[in-house]
Amino acid sequence: MAESTPPASSRLSLALSAFWRILTNPAFAGAVAALRRGSADAPRTSPTPEIRRLQDAEPNAALQLLGLLQQEGRFIDFLEEDVAAYSDAEIGAATRVVHEGCRKTLRQHFAIEAVRGEPEGTRVTLAEGFDSSAVRLTGNVVGRPPFTGRLTHRGWRVTETRLPKVAAGHDLSVVAPAEVEL
Amino acid sequence: MSQARYAVGIDLGTTHCALSYVDLASSRGDEVSEAMMQVPQLTAPGAVDELPLLPSFLYLPHPDEFAAGDIVLPWNSQPGMIVGEMARSVGAQTPIRLVSSAKSWLCHPGVDRRAAILPAGAPDDEVARLSPYDASVRYLQHLRDAWNHAHPNDDLAAQEVAVTVPASFDPAARELTAEAAQAVGFDRLVLLEEPQAALYSWIHESRGEWRNQVRVSDIILVIDVGGGTTDLSLIAVTEREGALELTRVAVGDHILLGGDNMDLALAHVVKSKLTAEGKVLDHWQVQALTHGCRHAKEALLADTAVEAVPVVVPSRGSRLIGGSIRTELTRDEVARTLIDGFFPEVAASARPAARPRGALTRLGLPYAQDPAVTRHLAAFLGMQAGAIDDLPGFAPRGSGSFLHPTAVLFNGGVFKAGVLVERVLKVINDWLAADGAPPVRVLAGADLDLAVARGAAYYGYVRRGGGVRIRGGTARAYYVGVESAMPAVPGLEPPLQALCVAPFGMEEGTEAGVPPQEFGLVVGEPVRFRFFGSAVRRDDQVGVLLEDWSPGELDELEEIEATLPADSRTPGDVVPVRLRASVTEVGTLRLEAMPRSGPEHWKVEFNVRSAAGQ
């Protein structure tokens, strides 16, 4: 079963993409919820128990990425702060720090490219056998391929992940240490 | 010794180090397979990342500062000291434990470069210290270990290694750099001047096209503004047996002025604006402001339509939105501070202002007193007006008040800003136009950050016959001070004469003649000589005795010292010796004291503990 278990790096991107998809796509969220219920409730009488349909996302790479986003872009500081008390101008000023730092982190550690090279808004045709994990159909999804429709989002694909190596025993759960000036 | 597989170039910079390598076996003619080594280094506690540059910073951590096991490298579980990116970021908050600009200290004549004096501001007895020499060894060690980790079958010590030094480095600083490289095991070592390395990189990048972009009697001006230093060189294009040749004819003075000064200057402009609004910044915030200004500057220089770019000084605490200070950097401020401050439009006759130093100046780095790069450039071209008079095919041009370059090669990250390139070109072309000469051409296409390392690796390939070499030898003639024999006059120092011991343009692996003058050395006691260099006296032969010279013609270097061991002699005896200069294969100057007879000789030390104030 080893070849069906993705390595930690791709599991992270899988976890992140699943996270966003659950948040933005009610249908997908419903399917995942059903999947979770199914795996939780199903009686464990399967004749082939070694087939794991779900796996735990490895937390270390996620913690490491959180730490990097905080270190360079004050990501957690920004999200943990109550924005209701501030004007748009004040939030906008802080956003520059977050945007610059997080973008630097993103570009340093990932190579990202658009899934579809065409400008958004153009009509595209999907031949039979297209990769449905890379292109999602929305709206009037009926009939058979080839499908023709308007590109509403070009998509993103991580083509390379370059995360720093971690010292054995390093506590990744401290994503930002407290600072004490002597 | 086995055959080297790679030619390796190491840029040992003031603010960054980089390593490039050429696979000698798979390179032919103009097709050279060259690559940059990614350098693993700590980027945060417990995190090791691979970056193309190794920041030249070293941090000496407190034993309780980091968790055991968090300071680790792929090849060392307890390095003890932190080198690179993490040293820089942690050191910004705890500067008393940070060693930076070690290279500038390495060529500081006022200090003992082997004495543990860094970090410069560390409290006594609390922080272990290193010498500028030790710091250089540490950076080279890190690069060596990174290489050996990545190439377990090709030890770096067995490869051809070229380490770059500023063209303006004096003999003592060159020797210390070579010794540092030899201390980490580089036996096949050569030193290469950084502006030459930049030109080699340009030649390499052109893949043979360079022969069409320059022509005989061109004079190439290399302007290399790094993070901490400005380095100038002139390289003439000559011809021998129908093939183009390159000859380095002059190098500039050592100018401690670079891109970091420019970012700091902008930060101070913005800081004073905030102070006027009643907002006071602490040390940490000024660091963050400098960082923000660098980004704002890049945005403003990249897009001429933008009038102002916001700069945010983030809060130090976790309240990012509530605690941050917002301000902006305007186009006018950048133009005033950067373009007119560091690259003002000046006449060719302009010279850098030299403020008299206060009597009680703290012992620090001798930063350039005039920040105007263009004035330093005018002084260099003016001083070198006669540099090509002896070259066949180069007629003196124009008024003769300054040397006319015909092409310019820019190097250093500062010149990523197109407006600064344009400004420097405009200034040079205005000088040329006023003297009736055509404008310069720009030699484009080199990588501004990595050219020095890349060119140094390519140089290793060229040395094996793979391409054109830049010739030129030493860029200075060297003299020893001799007190003239005349009756003592009370209240007057005996006049000093300068004896030429090494002529201009000595090639690697050559020996100068021995001047007839003899010096008396006292056995068992160190004897010091005053030592001078000249970047303009090209025709002095060994043995020439100068009675007087015009200001600026001879620069006094730090004193040199010879000690005759008392082995087979009586301490206190005076032995007459003569001085012989040579240039080693590595590229360092060597001076030896030789007695009248016998095969013995003793090395004369360049790096002497400073007599003043130590």
Side-chain angles (χ1 to χ4, degrees), chain A residues 71 73-74 77-78 81 83 86 89-91 93-94 96-98 100 108-109 162-168 170 179 181, chain B residues 43-51 69-70 72 93 284 291 295 310 312 314-322 324 326:
Chain A
Q71 186 184 325
R74 309 287 296 268
D77 289 345
F78 182 68
E81 200 162 3
V83 294
Y86 300 107
E90 287 168 313
I91 297 170
R96 290 189 181 276
V97 175
V98 180
E100 185 197 304
Q108 192 173 338
H109 300 292
R162 304 171 290 252
L163 285 169
K165 292 193 172 62
V166 182
H170 177 68
E179 289 180 19
E181 178 139 319
Chain B
T43 51
V48 172
D49 208 353
E50 297 191 345
L51 304 174
D70 270 3
V72 63
Q93 297 174 50
W284 187 89
H291 179 78
H295 283 269
V312 177
S315 66
R316 200 161 175 189
S318 66
R319 280 176 64 240
L320 180 67
I321 307 173
S324 296
R326 183 189 182 282

Side-chain angles (χ1 to χ4, degrees), chain B residues 262-292:
Chain B
M262 301 177 192
D263 294 333
L264 206 57
L266 282 178
H268 277 282
V269 168
V270 176
K271 185 184 162 209
S272 53
K273 208 158 61 170
L274 288 170
T275 310
E277 294 169 19
K279 291 169 185 155
V280 181
L281 302 186
D282 65 17
H283 177 77
W284 187 89
Q285 286 173 308
V286 174
Q287 294 274 357
L289 178 66
T290 311
H291 179 78

Side-chain angles (χ1 to χ4, degrees), chain A residues 88-127:
Chain A
D88 284 3
E90 287 168 313
I91 297 170
T95 311
R96 290 189 181 276
V97 175
V98 180
H99 181 263
E100 185 197 304
C102 291
R103 173 185 249 196
K104 185 181 162 206
T105 303
L106 195 69
R107 300 209 167 152
Q108 192 173 338
H109 300 292
F110 300 96
I112 297 183
E113 62 180 32
V115 174
R116 302 287 307 200
E118 302 91 342
E120 289 172 7
T122 52
R123 292 193 74 76
V124 294
T125 301
L126 303 168

Side-chain angles (χ1 to χ4, degrees), chain B residues 66-119:
Chain B
F66 299 106
D70 270 3
I71 304 309
V72 63
L73 287 168
W75 52 84
N76 188 345
S77 55
Q78 278 184 316
M81 295 177 187
I82 303 165
V83 172
E85 183 56 43
M86 178 180 165
R88 175 167 67 175
S89 58
V90 172
Q93 297 174 50
T94 309
I96 56 163
R97 293 183 170 274
L98 179 70
V99 175
S100 62
S101 298
K103 186 180 179 180
S104 300
W105 289 98
L106 200 65
C107 62
H108 186 343
V111 300
D112 179 0
R113 280 82 64 96
R114 287 180 196 276
I117 53 170
L118 301 177

Side-chain angles (χ1 to χ4, degrees), chain B residues 339-347 350 374-375 423 426-427 430-431:
Chain B
I339 305 177
D340 293 333
F342 287 91
F343 300 91
E345 291 190 47
V346 295
T374 42
R375 269 196 283 273
R423 169 56 71 92
K426 179 178 187 310
V427 170
D430 285 351
W431 297 342

Side-chain angles (χ1 to χ4, degrees), chain B residues 215-300:
Chain B
R215 49 185 173 262
V216 174
S217 82
D218 259 340
I219 298 167
I220 303 167
L221 168 65
V222 184
I223 306 177
D224 181 5
V225 181
T229 52
T230 292
D231 211 8
L232 305 167
S233 284
L234 286 166
I235 294 160
V237 183
T238 50
E239 191 174 22
R240 184 188 290 188
E241 292 160 8
L244 289 183
E245 271 203 336
L246 298 166
T247 308
R248 198 266 284 101
V249 291
V251 302
D253 290 336
H254 201 66
I255 309 166
L256 282 192
L257 174 64
D260 289 2
N261 306 49
M262 301 177 192
D263 294 333
L264 206 57
L266 282 178
H268 277 282
V269 168
V270 176
K271 185 184 162 209
S272 53
K273 208 158 61 170
L274 288 170
T275 310
E277 294 169 19
K279 291 169 185 155
V280 181
L281 302 186
D282 65 17
H283 177 77
W284 187 89
Q285 286 173 308
V286 174
Q287 294 274 357
L289 178 66
T290 311
H291 179 78
C293 282
R294 185 178 307 138
H295 283 269
K297 171 198 80 178
E298 282 162 12
L300 281 166

